[in-house]
Amino acid sequence: MSRFLLRAPSRLLSSFKSGLASPYSKQSRVSRTIQHTCKNEGFKSNFRSYSTQTNTSTEQSPASNKKVGAWLLLCCGVVGGIVVVGGITRLTQSGLSITEWKPLIGTLPPTTHEKWVEEFERYKQFPEYKRLNQNMTLAEFKRIYFWEYSHRLLGRAIGVIFLFPFLYYLKKGYINRNLSLKMAGVFLLGGSQGLLGWYMVKSGLDEKNIDQREGIPRVSQYRLAAHLGSAFVIYCALWWLALDLLTNKKPLNLNVSGNELAKTIKTIKTLRFGAPLISGLVFITALSGAFVAGLDAGLIYNTFPYMGGKLIPSDIIDNKIKPKFRNMFENAVTVQFEHRVLAITTFSSILTLYALARGRGGWKGLPKSVRVLSTSLFGVACVQVGLGITTLLTFVPTPIASAHQMGSLTLLTVALWFLHAIRRIPK
């Protein structure tokens, strides 16, 4: 053994010197030398352990994971802010105030009175001004311009906030290959958001498209839903990756035994089945809200739970819309009804899962974080339902409607957090 300890360093050194002109990599020469030494001395298991460590790069240090995770949380916050500002932009009818898309030179707003007048004159050439805002003043134009400009500026900012730290952490070795590919995919999806956003705005500037939507200047509800859905996907991806890094996927162990353990395992099986379904329902319900916003469907049937004195309104199908299934996306009455049904279904599912978790005797055996998240999910769902009903009954005022949209993002955040925690419990 002592002979091995004395000879190993010299063998390694000679391997480096003799291999300078070799076509093989340094790591390969070191590995072959150690393998040869280990075979001679009977340490094959040590070599296998060494090879595993040198040939994999999937595990990063907790410190680096914490830094990258905190940065991803910042990105989540900015994306969430973009979603909220985008909602206010839609609610204040500001989305068509900027009629050009200039990714680089459009970063700066008009800075002089003459430039503001020029921008306002450009806006006057498009349908929204001609059909709805002919009495608008320059001061009023500046107000709607502010929200659309802020939305676009935040979209540019997230690109910078994401790209440069990503390249820095990649160079420092804080991000492994697998994670870097996922982040690159998120970045590409984020870049496409700018194009998708402009594609959406163009639908509200085209006279032909507007004539097909009863002459009302507004963006296509299909493109609005695609734009919002893509933003939610980006947010969810960033949030999930951040959770992976900040928790290091550390298992959440159970502290029960005997009969209590059996009850807890049964409860966990129920939660494992229900958590992904609830996350999906929350996402779909939020997406249906984009159709409600796109068609201004929140401004009709402002009663709850009835619509025109009925649970199912008589005009839920418009026979003028062909084929009839398009009522699901183009009839404001149908779209509002769908959103109600989805919201009630989502809330009922959350309530049922929470009741099952607490009522089967395995609640106390669950990890504390799972219990807290389960309760939080139920609480946020209650608030969100209250905000939704209030938004409807008060004819969609901007502050309450904006809070309702923020609530959907908060509910999705907690649902994913809950799902992530459930998956950390060993099977």
Side-chain angles (χ1 to χ4, degrees), residues 125-143:
Q125 300 172 18
F126 290 90
E128 185 173 70
Y129 177 82
K130 294 178 181 178
R131 302 193 186 194
L132 296 179
N133 296 330
Q134 289 188 3
N135 297 321
M136 176 176 280
T137 64
L138 180 60
E140 291 171 333
F141 172 71
K142 288 181 179 181
R143 282 197 290 271

Side-chain angles (χ1 to χ4, degrees), residues 72-348:
L72 289 178
L73 285 183
L74 172 63
C75 293
C76 275
V78 177
V79 172
I82 294 173
V83 171
V84 172
V85 172
I88 297 174
T89 302
R90 178 71 188 90
L91 290 164
T92 55
Q93 308 295 323
S94 305
L96 301 177
S97 57
I98 302 179
T99 57
E100 294 179 320
W101 188 50
K102 298 176 180 178
L104 297 179
I105 62 175
T107 304
L108 296 176
T111 53
T112 64
H113 177 74
E114 290 75 18
K115 289 184 178 180
W116 273 113
V117 171
E118 181 183 348
E119 192 71 29
F120 190 28
E121 291 300 320
R122 187 179 296 112
Y123 171 71
K124 290 180 179 180
Q125 300 172 18
F126 290 90
E128 185 173 70
Y129 177 82
K130 294 178 181 178
R131 302 193 186 194
L132 296 179
N133 296 330
Q134 289 188 3
N135 297 321
M136 176 176 280
T137 64
L138 180 60
E140 291 171 333
F141 172 71
K142 288 181 179 181
R143 282 197 290 271
I144 65 171
Y145 187 97
F146 166 79
W147 287 112
E148 175 64 9
Y149 174 76
S150 300
H151 185 56
R152 295 191 183 195
L153 186 63
L154 281 172
R156 294 181 175 96
I158 187 58
V160 175
I161 293 171
F162 185 90
L163 179 61
F164 289 103
F166 171 63
L167 294 176
Y168 172 77
Y169 287 136
L170 193 62
K171 184 178 179 181
K172 293 281 288 185
Y174 290 177
I175 302 174
N176 59 42
R177 184 175 182 275
N178 184 40
L179 184 58
S180 67
L181 291 175
K182 293 177 182 178
M183 289 184 175
V186 172
F187 179 74
L188 292 175
L189 185 59
S192 69
Q193 270 290 77
L195 289 171
L196 185 56
W198 174 242
Y199 180 63
M200 177 190 69
V201 170
K202 280 186 66 177
S203 67
L205 301 175
D206 191 333
E207 291 277 5
K208 294 180 180 179
N209 291 334
I210 292 169
D211 289 336
Q212 295 173 1
R213 293 192 290 273
E214 302 176 352
I216 301 174
R218 61 189 179 203
V219 300
S220 163
Q221 68 272 24
Y222 293 103
R223 301 184 192 184
L224 176 61
H227 191 47
L228 179 66
S230 181
F232 270 50
V233 168
I234 293 170
Y235 178 88
C236 291
L238 292 172
W239 176 234
W240 192 268
L241 291 175
L243 289 175
D244 278 349
L245 293 169
L246 293 173
T247 63
N248 287 312
K249 298 182 181 180
K250 185 179 179 181
L252 295 174
N253 297 316
L254 308 177
N255 297 317
V256 291
S257 59
N259 293 332
E260 291 297 323
L261 178 60
K263 293 178 181 179
T264 301
I265 291 175
K266 188 175 181 180
T267 301
I268 290 172
K269 288 181 179 179
T270 302
L271 296 179
R272 278 205 180 99
F273 176 78
L277 294 179
I278 284 174
S279 297
L281 279 172
V282 172
F283 182 86
I284 294 172
T285 304
L287 203 60
S288 75
F291 285 92
V292 173
L295 293 171
D296 290 324
L299 297 176
I300 59 174
Y301 288 124
N302 298 96
T303 57
F304 188 87
Y306 297 107
M307 300 177 69
K310 300 178 181 179
L311 287 175
I312 302 177
S314 56
D315 53 349
I316 194 170
I317 298 296
D318 185 349
N319 292 320
K320 295 179 181 179
I321 299 176
K322 303 290 184 181
K324 289 186 178 181
F325 77 85
R326 288 173 57 184
N327 277 272
M328 297 173 61
F329 310 105
E330 298 177 10
N331 184 350
V333 177
T334 312
V335 166
Q336 192 197 114
F337 177 78
E338 290 166 354
H339 191 61
R340 291 184 183 215
V341 171
L342 282 169
I344 293 171
T345 302
T346 302
F347 178 74
S348 299

